[in-house]
Amino acid sequence: MTNPLSDAGARTPARRPRTSPVLAVMAVAAGLSVAGNYFAQPLLGLLRTELGMTTTAAGLTVAAAQIGYAIGLGLLVPLGDRYPRRGLAATLLAATGLLLAAAGTAPTGWLLLAATGLAAVTSVGAQVLVPFAAELAPPQRRARDIGIVMAGVLAGGLLGRAASGVVAELAGWRTVYWATAVLLLVTAVIVLRVLPGGGGDRSEATRPLRLWRSTAALLAELPGLRRPIAIAALTMASFTVHLTVVTLLLVDHPYRWSPATIGLVGLIGVIGPLAMPLAGRLVDRGYPRAVLVTGLLSAAAGWAVMLPAQGGGVGWLLVGLVLLNVGQTAVLNASQTTAYELRPRARSRINAVFMTLFFAGGSVGGALAPVVWVNAHWTGACLLGIGLVGTALLVAAVPRRRA
């Protein structure tokens, strides 16, 4: 018996955009949507001082953003297979803007914590836009267009962390939230005016409860979905390890760098968003497996190159970070595009499963990193990163079953 949701064909396709500004709007909207999830990371000291928060409570604002995002991925993103994605994305953008404004006016730490968590739930508007880009793109350009919107998501996280500290120092931490709130509300209006309309499937088969059940069952129904998700989750775990241990390395002997200098090193991560469309073009030309394997080898090489950095080899560190970021970008684009093609009419649900497990992999890497650092320092962290990417290579090498 076939799943009624596997052929939810009543969905009316949206009109395809004719101009690249549509993709630019989607990328900017996606980046703004997720940026607020990263604001609190450099502001923890200010939040403790100005709102009287304990260190634990201030730290919970970071955790609340991650938990809220996971909830939104599971509950809201699948709705993109029922409702027109333009309207759903605009609604979530506006809701995120209003909640960030509430966070900026919060008189107490607990109200800030609540507003941050709720804003993270609605910030998954970014992940509504990614399958929307896949739906609008012609097959020969699909991976590239996905890459452009995902580049916006990656840039939003990167610039959100960097900008919040700078703006807070110049104009106060509340300004960060208020300014982003205004930008999100304006962007929601632009999305409604610029993005193509149409789409949606309001049939009985796509009622929310059925969508959520179908989302949970996708891994069983689509065996081909497990491989790209496993590979992406393992590489995300490896990537998250470096986000933690590189900072620990640079504050320690022989570097002892200031937070500002370490932040500048983090800007190397911008190479990821820049490389994403290029990876997409290669996938569109029929080389998804080559892009995937090259990305995995690049990430593994990045960790190997960084091994000598413990002794003060900053050049090795910088080269390794470039290789790691390029590798992560290539793996994500190839894996995500492969997953979307398994059931085109369920792209929102596939994206919900994919991104939930993708970030779960990152959480595992984040939990392992400090444990390995305490027990085996930099060498152990590099070997852990190589081991996670190596496992992903083994998963990629397993022969695929015929359907």
Side-chain angles (χ1 to χ4, degrees):
M1 181 180 294
T2 59
N3 185 332
L5 287 173
S6 65
D7 294 306
R11 184 182 184 96
T12 304
R15 302 188 309 273
R16 284 181 178 168
R18 297 180 181 178
T19 58
S20 56
V22 170
L23 277 175
V25 168
M26 296 176 86
V28 171
L32 282 172
S33 183
V34 301
N37 295 337
Y38 300 91
F39 285 166
Q41 292 182 11
L43 303 178
L44 298 182
L46 284 173
L47 297 179
R48 286 185 305 174
T49 302
E50 296 198 16
L51 295 179
M53 300 176 76
T54 65
T55 300
T56 301
L60 282 175
T61 58
V62 178
Q66 301 304 314
I67 294 168
Y69 198 72
I71 293 171
L73 284 169
L75 291 182
L76 300 179
V77 173
L79 299 179
D81 287 334
R82 178 175 175 83
Y83 301 106
R85 291 191 178 114
R86 178 180 69 176
L88 180 60
T91 300
L92 293 175
L93 287 166
T96 304
L98 292 174
L99 288 165
L100 287 180
T105 57
T108 68
W110 291 111
L111 287 176
L112 173 67
L113 185 63
T116 299
L118 291 173
V121 173
T122 59
S123 72
V124 296
Q127 297 304 332
V128 172
L129 290 167
V130 175
F132 193 14
E135 176 188 332
L136 296 173
Q140 70 273 14
R141 214 179 60 212
R142 182 164 292 136
R144 188 206 70 156
D145 288 2
I146 292 170
I148 289 172
V149 180
M150 277 303 299
V153 176
L154 298 176
L158 178 70
L159 297 177
R161 281 191 297 267
S164 64
V166 174
V167 174
E169 186 172 338
L170 295 174
W173 68 268
R174 295 183 187 273
T175 305
V176 180
Y177 290 89
W178 293 334
T180 308
V182 172
L183 289 173
L184 278 165
L185 293 172
V186 171
T187 303
V189 175
I190 294 173
V191 163
L192 286 174
R193 293 181 63 86
V194 174
L195 267 58
D201 173 14
R202 300 295 290 271
S203 68
E204 183 71 20
T206 60
R207 285 185 175 273
L209 284 177
R210 290 196 177 191
L211 281 176
W212 293 327
R213 291 194 198 104
S214 174
T215 301
L218 278 176
L219 286 175
E221 293 177 11
L222 299 175
L225 185 59
R226 300 168 199 162
R227 181 195 299 260
I229 286 180
I231 292 170
L234 284 164
T235 53
M236 182 58 177
S238 167
F239 191 76
T240 307
V241 169
H242 108 272
L243 293 176
T244 300
V245 299
V246 167
T247 299
L248 294 174
L249 173 73
L250 295 177
V251 299
D252 204 355
H253 178 80
Y255 294 96
R256 301 194 186 283
W257 286 4
S258 68
T261 307
I262 295 172
L264 291 175
V265 171
L267 289 177
I268 288 176
V270 77
I271 197 170
L274 292 175
M276 184 70 86
L278 174 60
R281 287 192 184 94
L282 293 173
V283 171
D284 286 332
R285 291 176 182 174
Y287 305 109
R289 186 162 180 80
V291 171
L292 178 69
V293 173
T294 301
L296 291 169
L297 292 174
S298 176
W303 279 112
V305 165
M306 288 193 295
L307 269 168
Q310 185 171 2
V314 68
W316 294 111
L317 178 67
L318 298 180
V319 171
L321 289 175
V322 170
L323 290 171
L324 194 59
N325 277 276
V326 170
Q328 173 68 12
T329 295
V331 171
L332 177 57
N333 188 272
S335 301
Q336 207 168 15
T337 304
T338 299
Y340 285 162
E341 295 308 306
L342 294 173
R343 185 176 291 173
R345 289 170 178 164
R347 284 193 178 113
S348 287
R349 281 164 281 159
I350 287 174
N351 196 47
V353 175
F354 186 101
M355 297 309 296
T356 298
L357 295 178
F358 177 72
F359 283 109
S363 299
V364 171
L368 289 174
V371 176
V372 172
W373 179 267
V374 169
N375 292 281
H377 209 59
W378 178 250
T379 300
C382 289
L383 293 177
L384 172 62
I386 292 171
L388 289 167
V389 177
T391 304
L393 272 167
L394 291 175
V395 173
V398 173
R400 287 173 287 187
R401 296 179 181 179
R402 289 183 177 273

